[in-house]
Amino acid sequence: EADIYQTPRYLVIGTGKKITLECSQTMGHDKMYWYQQDPGMELHLIHYSYGVNSTEKGDLSSESTVSRIRTEHFPLTLESARPSHTSQYLCASSATSGASYEQYFGPGTRLTVT
Amino acid sequence: KNQVEQSPQSLIILEGKNCTLQCNYTVSPFSNLRWYKQDTGRGPVSLTIMTFSENTKSNGRYTATLDADTKQSSLHITASQLSDSASYICVVSDRGSTLGRLYFGRGTQLTVWP
């Protein structure tokens, strides 16, 4: 079992609310990722980070923002949630070295915006 | 465009039976191929990872094969159990980026009936 945690696991909020999805890992990994996954669809990378103070946008455009102030913490924020943001959000991390770049996933946050 | 295609989309088998899931990819340059198991509402968990030089790898009742020439992989599950019910995702990593970018298939939804 990977030591990567996400909170909350489930969240139902109204349109226009600001939310922050938390992700923490205790493995000391430099690289962290946020993915978005809709039911029956593939995971899409929305944000990633190489390390502290490093953040980049992924393949899928997202209105969310991320920050990386500490190695173990990689929160994702939506300033004004909309129904189109309803999805599952998965956080992952990987070590910097090693050709396999094995990524370990958290349990996910299921977000519903009403 | 790098793609990962999986078949079948869904599969129902009886407990104790064997099954094989397929994955075709066009990702280039190829680095490695992974199979993940994703239980409903959870994050993906790695089952196997294979590099270019490996053509088979086992993890308990799971055996993955890789044909890098035809860009095909399969995941064989032996003596299925109810707990095998999950989505099985094929993921291919390219060698062209330091990020170790992952390309995800949509998964095969396996249901094991008693």
Side-chain angles (χ1 to χ4, degrees), chain A residues 1 9-10 31 33 35 37 40-43 45 48 50 59 88 90 99-108, chain B residues 9 31-32 34 36 38 41-46 48-49 89 93-94 97-106:
Chain A
E1 194 82 13
R9 291 294 317 281
Y10 304 93
K31 294 180 179 176
Y33 316 81
Y35 292 91
Q37 183 183 31
M41 301 297 286
E42 64 267 47
L43 278 72
L45 181 68
Y48 61 93
Y50 285 117
D59 305 318
Q88 170 147 311
L90 290 160
S100 65
Y101 298 108
E102 181 67 67
Q103 288 192 18
Y104 297 90
F105 287 85
Chain B
Q9 183 176 347
S31 176
N32 57 72
R34 314 140 191 250
Y36 281 89
Q38 185 176 22
R42 307 288 298 182
V45 175
S46 180
T48 65
I49 179 168
I89 304 172
S93 177
D94 71 23
S97 68
T98 55
L99 175 64
R101 185 68 58 86
L102 302 184
Y103 298 89
F104 291 82
R106 292 187 176 184

Side-chain angles (χ1 to χ4, degrees), chain B residues 25 30 33 50-52 54-56 64-68 72-73:
Chain B
Y25 64 91
F30 173 85
L33 184 146
M50 290 183 291
T51 59
F52 184 89
E54 297 174 297
N55 54 26
T56 186
T65 65
L66 173 65
D67 186 334
Q72 296 179 325
S73 176

Side-chain angles (χ1 to χ4, degrees), chain A residues 48-80:
Chain A
Y48 61 93
S49 168
Y50 285 117
V52 172
N53 294 325
S54 155
T55 61
E56 301 288 344
K57 290 190 178 296
D59 305 318
L60 182 67
S61 175
S62 174
E63 294 167 345
S64 58
T65 59
V66 293
S67 63
R68 191 88 183 276
I69 299 173
R70 303 198 314 268
T71 298
E72 63 271 21
H73 196 214
F74 191 40
L76 180 146
T77 298
L78 276 167
E79 290 293 334
S80 179

